[in-house]
Amino acid sequence: MAQEAIHRGPIPFEAAPTERPSRARLFLIALVIVVIAEAIGNINIPVGTGKIVLLPLLWALLLGGALGLASPRLPALLRLRASTQSAAAAFLQPALLIFIAKLGLLVGGSLPKIFASGWSLVFQEFGHFFGTMVFGLPVALLLGIKREAIGATFSVGREPSLAIIGERYGMDSPEGRGVLAEYLTGTVFGAVFIAVLAGLVASLNIFNPLALAMGAGVGSGSMMAAASGAIAAQQTPEVAKDVATFAAASNLITTTIGTYFTLFLSLPFTIWAYGKLEPILGRNRPDTVRAPSAAALAPAHEETAIGFAEMLVAWVLIGAYGLIGNYLTYGVIPDAAVVGGMAIIIGVVILGWGLYVLSARKLPAVIWVSLIGMALTYPAMPYAAEIAAMTGKINFLALATPILTFAGLSIAKDIPAFRQLGWRIVVVSFMANAGTFLGATLIAQFWMHVPVT
């Protein structure tokens, strides 16, 4: 697997020594993009009775992608060569581990609340993580998409899903391109689509509003806000408050514990389903859309290998970028406590990576990092409250912006492959998003046993 090169110790960059300064330039460009994106901040766009929330992470993705696409026509100082774009893809994995550590620290302190949420809030997660495959995979295969369909339909393709696919297959694999395409289409179109769908389903009055609210917790802050807003707008003020509460609780579970659902349940099941359905719906059907050739979907350049020392520097810099975003967008001054909180997050990543290596890489690094984070903030652990307070000052969305920056800077080299998928991946993304919302709503409705009036 392409990504394995990142995990096997200090392997030098494939680039010539004369190209090494571009790594420093890469992080400088990333810093500028993060600052611009966070300075733009959150923008709310009203859509009927609801609204779409455009977050800094979207601006970072678009700015990075635009810079990469425009590179051939830019001055040399701003130009991103193919080797630099490949390096951006390689540094995406370390950035994702910082985000996973924050989620682990978040869920540890919330475990008692999650345990007290009831069976409906627990079992609706199966709808979130199997609905994407049930709705999306058959459509993807009918449209001629091959192994990209696994990455595009095993989840809604948020940050933890990028980490899982990136570590198992590498982001330059077909599965990696599939999850990135799902991420891109979900980020750009997902909030609009889920708001319209949620509002339409709510207006039919066939589901309990709280079941719809749990369905809205798809694991994306912007999509959850759009969907829950469209649902709440059609309820009484009292019910609207409950909708917001249940949507937030569901989104917390999907964003945190959902990592384990996708890793151990939905991804293996999607791989199995692909093996069963692809011969029936895919290549053996004479009316199947012709899938892109392997040469067309192959990465233009090999993924850059990075060693542990370079990863350590990357974790520190990415953490610093997160502190900048935390200040610009959320107004949290990076004082000693906040910097200490970031040091804890980076420490969790380093310790998790160490256990990952010591265990012969039998469990993904994301699991080790998540478990350590959860253990540190579990209420029964010593100093859990102090650790939660320090790391709680850092908004997890501020850590998502650097991730999207590196993703955006690496997009240009994969645009030819993305064009091969074209409109089909957008359709598949919509089906996956519809599946996660409707699947969770159906299961929550069943477990609530509340008649709809």
Side-chain angles (χ1 to χ4, degrees), residues 345-371:
I345 292 174
I346 296 173
V348 169
V349 172
I350 295 172
L351 183 56
W353 184 268
L355 292 175
Y356 165 70
V357 174
L358 290 175
S359 63
R361 299 175 169 86
K362 292 184 178 179
L363 279 178
V366 294
I367 295 298
W368 289 112
V369 171
S370 296
L371 290 176

Side-chain angles (χ1 to χ4, degrees), residues 142-191:
L142 288 170
L143 292 176
I145 298 175
K146 296 301 181 182
R147 290 195 67 85
E148 287 81 3
I150 294 174
T153 64
F154 87 105
S155 74
V156 291
R158 296 298 90 195
E159 290 83 358
S161 301
L162 289 176
I164 291 170
I165 291 294
E167 185 168 314
R168 177 159 182 171
Y169 295 102
M171 293 307 294
D172 275 338
S173 66
E175 293 83 357
R177 290 192 294 275
V179 73
L180 183 57
E182 164 67 8
Y183 190 98
L184 291 172
T185 53
T187 298
V188 176
F189 304 115

Side-chain angles (χ1 to χ4, degrees), residues 68-327:
L69 292 173
S71 280
R73 296 177 293 276
L74 293 176
L77 184 64
L78 296 176
R79 195 172 301 156
L80 295 177
R81 287 183 289 184
S83 61
T84 304
Q85 295 177 23
S86 295
F91 282 112
L92 180 60
Q93 183 68 13
L96 286 166
L97 289 179
I98 294 284
F99 183 81
I100 292 296
K102 169 60 181 176
L103 292 184
L105 291 161
L106 176 66
V107 73
S110 301
L111 284 176
K113 182 190 299 184
I114 292 171
F115 294 151
S117 296
W119 290 113
S120 59
L121 196 55
V122 172
F123 282 101
Q124 56 89 30
E125 282 305 303
F126 287 93
H128 276 308
F129 293 102
F130 287 108
T132 55
M133 186 279 298
V134 171
F135 279 66
L137 183 60
V139 173
L141 294 176
L142 288 170
L143 292 176
I145 298 175
K146 296 301 181 182
R147 290 195 67 85
E148 287 81 3
I150 294 174
T153 64
F154 87 105
S155 74
V156 291
R158 296 298 90 195
E159 290 83 358
S161 301
L162 289 176
I164 291 170
I165 291 294
E167 185 168 314
R168 177 159 182 171
Y169 295 102
M171 293 307 294
D172 275 338
S173 66
E175 293 83 357
R177 290 192 294 275
V179 73
L180 183 57
E182 164 67 8
Y183 190 98
L184 291 172
T185 53
T187 298
V188 176
F189 304 115
V192 177
F193 174 77
I194 202 73
V196 173
L197 176 65
L200 175 62
V201 174
S203 67
L204 300 177
N205 294 318
I206 58 177
F207 293 108
N208 186 281
L210 299 186
L212 290 169
M214 285 183 258
V218 298
S220 163
S222 59
M223 291 174 67
M224 184 270 287
S228 60
I231 298 166
Q234 303 182 45
Q235 315 303 324
T236 64
E238 293 75 14
V239 175
K241 292 180 181 178
D242 291 336
V243 166
T245 300
F246 275 80
S250 174
N251 203 64
L252 175 62
I253 297 174
T254 307
T255 304
T256 52
I257 295 179
T259 300
Y260 306 102
F261 272 80
T262 55
L263 182 62
F264 293 117
L265 294 176
S266 61
L267 178 57
F269 189 73
T270 303
I271 295 171
W272 175 85
Y274 176 87
K276 297 295 183 182
L277 295 177
E278 198 278 334
I280 301 171
L281 303 178
R283 62 175 180 267
N284 291 336
R285 287 177 58 88
D287 57 340
T288 296
V289 176
R290 182 178 178 84
S293 65
L297 286 177
H301 302 275
E302 290 297 324
E303 190 169 304
T304 301
I306 58 177
F308 179 75
E310 291 160 318
M311 255 194 305
L312 186 61
V313 173
W315 286 329
V316 173
L317 290 176
I318 291 165
Y321 295 174
L323 293 179
I324 293 172
N326 204 46
Y327 171 69

